[in-house]
Amino acid sequence: MQVAPLGEQLREWRTRRRMSQMDLALDTEISTRHLSFIETGRSKPSAGMLQRIADRLEVPHRARNALLLAAGYAPDYQERPLDSPEMAGVRAIVDHVLKGHEPYPALAVDRHWNMIAANDAIAILIAQVSPALLVPPVNVLRIALHPEGLAPQIVNHGEWRAHILERMDVQIAASADAGLMALREELAGYAAGDADHSAERRGSHASSIAVPLILNTDAGRIAFLSTVTIFGTPVDITLSELAIEAFFPADAESAALLQKLAGK
């Protein structure tokens, strides 16, 4: 595996976190001179010091492995497929959470928002989506904004589009992930729809404390609010990048309709 020089990587992360060498040196209890030597390649940090720097810079597990490799150390974090025997317990937890959320939709995604698993209630979200977008790997953000995906059904399309792009900006700032950058560029290229009316709509509904997803479905109009769940103490790369997005009805009418569709 080819990785960028350690100093180059550290400077990039420090710049992303808007920290000076002095700030980072003080926070990690090393001298500014030593940190400067590390960034210029004149000094090699210990593995412990490198982890301390990575902790302060909030470097994700995948990128920490790259730092360690560049410094000549073995990676600390393994990456196991979710369907591997070692991850059976985790997969059982994910399936339990997804199933337990029914009759409301819920899905699990990787770092690039590719769907890993979903419960049966997800059918209400993908009923009118083009089959071409449902060929694995299924990207849930592409489905959300693609003209042949959910976009024609989303009542507050401009508002939801802006929410997704802002959400991706936060992820990209945190991870510096090239795949996310490419995906954001693709999504931003899709039509903006009713963006000019987003602010007016945001103030018009009771759930203005959060951005809802308002859909016109075959069964009627349904408004959702979503939550994202992550594992709290992951030491595996796959697990650290896995997220479960659960959709809740945003109002009583939506809840009643979802219960009715589920036959409950």
Side-chain angles (χ1 to χ4, degrees):
M1 177 188 295
Q2 291 187 343
V3 295
L6 175 63
E8 181 180 322
Q9 292 187 53
L10 286 177
R11 280 194 301 274
E12 179 181 349
W13 282 108
R14 183 170 57 75
T15 301
R16 281 186 169 274
R17 301 302 184 243
R18 296 181 172 85
M19 296 189 71
S20 67
Q21 281 189 344
M22 180 176 292
D23 290 335
L24 182 57
L26 287 172
D27 287 352
T28 53
E29 299 180 341
I30 61 177
S31 71
T32 305
R33 177 185 175 87
H34 188 29
L35 179 59
S36 177
F37 278 12
I38 293 172
E39 289 192 359
T40 57
R42 297 172 63 185
S43 181
K44 175 182 174 179
S46 67
M49 178 182 292
L50 191 53
Q51 285 286 21
R52 198 159 73 243
I53 294 171
D55 284 342
R56 180 60 186 87
L57 293 175
E58 299 180 346
V59 179
H61 290 355
R62 184 179 298 275
R64 289 190 189 214
N65 277 353
L67 290 175
L68 289 164
L69 284 169
Y73 300 112
D76 268 0
Y77 304 99
Q78 296 187 51
E79 183 176 10
R80 306 172 182 86
L82 195 58
D83 58 0
S84 66
E86 299 93 332
M87 299 286 275
V90 171
R91 182 58 193 249
I93 292 171
V94 171
D95 290 342
H96 177 77
V97 172
L98 296 178
K99 187 66 177 177
H101 193 64
E102 293 178 352
Y104 308 139
L107 48 90
V109 296
D110 64 16
R111 76 185 193 280
H112 291 147
W113 291 90
N114 293 316
M115 188 165 64
I116 297 172
N119 63 14
D120 291 340
I122 202 72
I124 192 68
L125 297 180
I126 62 173
Q128 298 181 35
V129 171
S130 168
L133 294 176
L134 300 177
V135 176
V138 177
N139 188 276
V140 299
L141 297 189
R142 183 177 292 116
I143 285 177
L145 298 184
H146 196 282
E148 296 181 5
L150 281 175
Q153 297 174 248
I154 301 177
V155 176
N156 58 330
H157 178 266
E159 182 182 22
W160 188 250
R161 176 182 181 274
H163 163 68
I164 286 179
L165 295 180
E166 289 168 5
R167 187 169 171 179
M168 292 197 74
D169 287 339
V170 172
Q171 284 186 281
I172 290 168
S175 67
D177 188 283
L180 282 175
M181 294 177 193
L183 179 61
R184 192 205 183 282
E185 183 177 359
E186 175 192 338
L187 299 182
Y190 297 152
D194 63 349
D196 291 342
H197 304 290
S198 295
E200 178 182 343
R201 258 202 200 97
R202 185 177 292 115
S204 68
H205 44 62
S207 55
S208 57
I209 57 172
V211 178
L213 171 62
I214 307 173
L215 284 179
N216 282 329
T217 73
D218 292 335
R221 181 168 293 186
I222 303 177
F224 293 101
L225 291 176
S226 69
T227 64
V228 176
T229 302
I230 59 172
F231 283 83
T233 54
V235 292
D236 176 273
I237 291 177
T238 299
L239 191 57
S240 72
E241 296 172 342
L242 186 145
I244 297 175
E245 182 148 22
F247 292 86
F248 292 85
D251 51 48
E253 293 78 13
S254 297
L257 181 52
L258 288 167
Q259 293 283 347
K260 180 181 178 181
L261 291 174
K264 296 184 178 182

